[in-house]
Amino acid sequence: MLLLSFIHGFISEKEFGVLHEALQTKNPIFPHSDYERFTLDTLEESEIFAEFRVRKRDIERLADALGLPESFVCHQRTRADKIEGLCMVLKCLAYPCRYSDLIHRFGRAVPQLSMITNAVEEFIYQNPHHRLTQWNATLLSPRKLQQYADAVAVKGSPLKNCFGFIDGTVRPISRPGENQKIVYNGHKRLHALKFQSVTLPDGLIAHLFGPVEGRKHDAAMLKDSHLLDDLNAHAFSATGEAMCLYGDPAYPHRIQLQGPFKEQRLTPAMEDFNSAMSSVRSSVEWVFGDVIGPFKLLDFKKNLKIGLSPVGKHYIVSALLRNALTCLYGNNTGAYFGVEPPSLEEYFS
């Protein structure tokens, strides 16, 4: 239109030069049409596992377990099938990258990559996320709770009814431009969001609450999560015995929430109890590492900017996908306690 206006004399040569320069985009143009569209058939097994963290034979299983529709259609009618969309999300979470870095793999323009990735991640967040953010009656059935407690007791736990562990994790983010004090964590000395996780001996995250502002205390996060209400209502073995979680000294003591002795002067028996429980509780840190390990985007705080990217959604979706990977391939926590996680289909059923 600018060229036609100049040819027909509607604007002068000087006006044409000024307008042409003003309309030039600052973003480079990537020739996505030079690359073939994405298909798993052209990729080697090692490439797929390195880029998507899932083996070739399991990608379609994962898409079906997550309940992804056969295709995603964006608002401007861009279409992508569920395998391509899932691989885009896995690729973006696996390592910090720009959408332009995905062009050679998917053969799509940057706007299309952005819209498809956001649509698939939003679907995962809105649909299967309740398996993490709500009490999972299948994963935390009375029979399962007793099985978890027995596995913890075998490793030397003085608590014979402890079925899992609770802790908060601090995830660093980029310093926001406004309201920095709200998300500043004084203990870690960084800007962050916090999440509360309940982990099980099979290596799964049973319950996840967050994000909350980085300055909030773990006890306040526990109150906001209403997890104690769920424990009081559901945390019982098949014989009716109250089952409990074990946390650090930040948490209050309840029948279904235990922690170490906090007295200033500990007796030898108290010290032995704290030491024994500390050794088994370390498994919760392994699970936090398991979430970050395959999904390095969560550990690159310069890309985690509140207001510009869905930081909390990234972590919740990554935790859910980490559970899926645990169901597929296991992890160190399950191997340590000798408890097998459920199959992928059982977990998402």
Side-chain angles (χ1 to χ4, degrees):
M1 291 299 296
L2 187 63
L3 183 59
L4 288 174
S5 298
F6 172 71
I7 291 174
H8 292 290
F10 296 125
I11 58 176
S12 66
E13 184 176 352
K14 183 177 181 181
E15 290 172 330
F16 174 81
V18 172
L19 292 173
H20 183 270
E21 184 177 353
L23 290 174
Q24 294 303 303
T25 177
K26 295 181 180 179
N27 296 321
I29 299 174
F30 298 96
H32 63 277
S33 58
D34 293 350
Y35 300 97
E36 295 182 0
R37 284 295 179 86
F38 174 79
T39 174
L40 288 176
D41 297 334
T42 61
L43 301 180
E44 297 292 334
E45 177 69 37
S46 58
E47 285 183 285
I48 293 174
F49 191 73
E51 293 190 21
F52 309 131
R53 307 300 193 240
V54 182
R55 301 197 185 280
K56 187 175 183 177
R57 66 178 183 270
D58 297 321
I59 289 183
E60 188 163 359
R61 284 182 62 196
L62 178 58
D64 292 338
L66 292 170
L68 300 182
E70 289 301 319
S71 63
F72 289 87
V73 182
C74 302
H75 67 274
Q76 42 63 280
R77 290 186 262 184
T78 294
R79 182 181 295 269
D81 65 68
K82 62 181 180 181
I83 300 299
E84 183 182 18
L86 176 59
C87 287
M88 286 182 188
V89 172
L90 292 171
K91 175 73 172 176
C92 287
L93 294 175
Y95 201 81
C97 61
R98 300 166 297 181
Y99 285 117
S100 58
D101 299 329
L102 308 183
I103 291 176
H104 78 282
R105 177 59 69 208
F106 296 98
R108 289 183 179 271
V110 169
Q112 293 182 12
L113 292 167
S114 174
M115 287 184 289
I116 295 169
T117 302
N118 289 333
V120 177
E121 186 177 23
E122 179 67 16
F123 182 91
I124 297 173
Y125 175 76
Q126 292 293 345
N127 290 274
H129 80 95
H130 65 275
R131 304 182 190 283
L132 274 180
T133 57
Q134 299 175 17
W135 184 268
N136 191 325
T138 303
L139 196 64
L140 300 172
S141 65
R143 181 183 64 82
K144 286 282 191 181
L145 294 182
Q146 187 62 61
Q147 179 185 356
Y148 300 146
D150 293 343
V152 175
V154 166
K155 287 299 179 180
S157 168
L159 291 173
K160 305 306 178 184
N161 63 336
C162 174
F163 70 89
F165 307 94
I166 182 173
D167 199 5
T169 181
V170 179
R171 294 312 317 154
I173 61 173
S174 179
R175 184 178 66 180
E178 299 178 352
N179 301 319
Q180 297 177 12
K181 290 184 178 180
I182 295 178
V183 295
Y184 185 75
N185 184 284
H187 177 65
K188 300 288 185 178
R189 298 183 181 231
L190 46 77
H191 297 86
L193 296 178
K194 293 187 71 173
F195 295 85
Q196 173 185 279
S197 296
V198 173
T199 61
L200 300 176
D202 59 4
L204 292 178
I205 299 175
H207 190 275
L208 181 68
F209 175 73
V212 300
E213 56 271 26
R215 69 179 183 180
K216 181 161 286 192
H217 192 270
D218 284 355
M221 191 162 49
L222 173 68
K223 180 180 178 182
D224 293 343
S225 70
H226 300 289
L227 178 61
L228 284 177
D229 297 335
D230 289 331
L231 291 171
N232 292 333
H234 305 292
F236 296 93
S237 68
T239 59
E241 179 186 5
M243 309 300 282
C244 72
L245 293 172
Y246 186 83
D248 60 29
Y251 294 102
H253 282 188
R254 300 289 185 271
I255 293 177
Q256 276 121 344
L257 180 60
Q258 297 295 312
F261 288 100
K262 307 176 187 178
E263 284 77 2
Q264 283 188 332
R265 301 192 176 201
L266 299 178
T267 64
M270 291 178 178
E271 291 179 350
D272 291 342
F273 175 89
N274 288 356
S275 177
M277 290 306 301
S278 177
S279 64
V280 293
R281 183 188 168 275
S282 62
S283 63
V284 70
E285 303 295 340
W286 302 348
V287 176
F288 289 151
D290 286 339
V291 176
I292 305 301
F295 303 117
K296 292 290 193 291
L297 174 67
L298 303 176
D299 210 23
F300 190 66
K301 70 177 186 179
K302 290 184 178 180
N303 266 16
L304 303 177
K305 300 178 180 179
I306 293 179
L308 294 179
S309 62
V311 182
K313 185 191 300 183
H314 287 333
Y315 190 86
I316 293 173
V317 170
S318 296
L320 185 65
L321 293 173
R322 176 63 252 185
N323 274 359
L325 296 183
T326 298
C327 293
L328 288 170
Y329 313 122
N331 65 7
N332 291 333
T333 303
Y336 173 75
F337 285 106
V339 181
E340 289 289 329
S343 69
L344 184 68
E345 289 75 17
E346 288 174 346
Y347 178 71
F348 286 101
S349 62

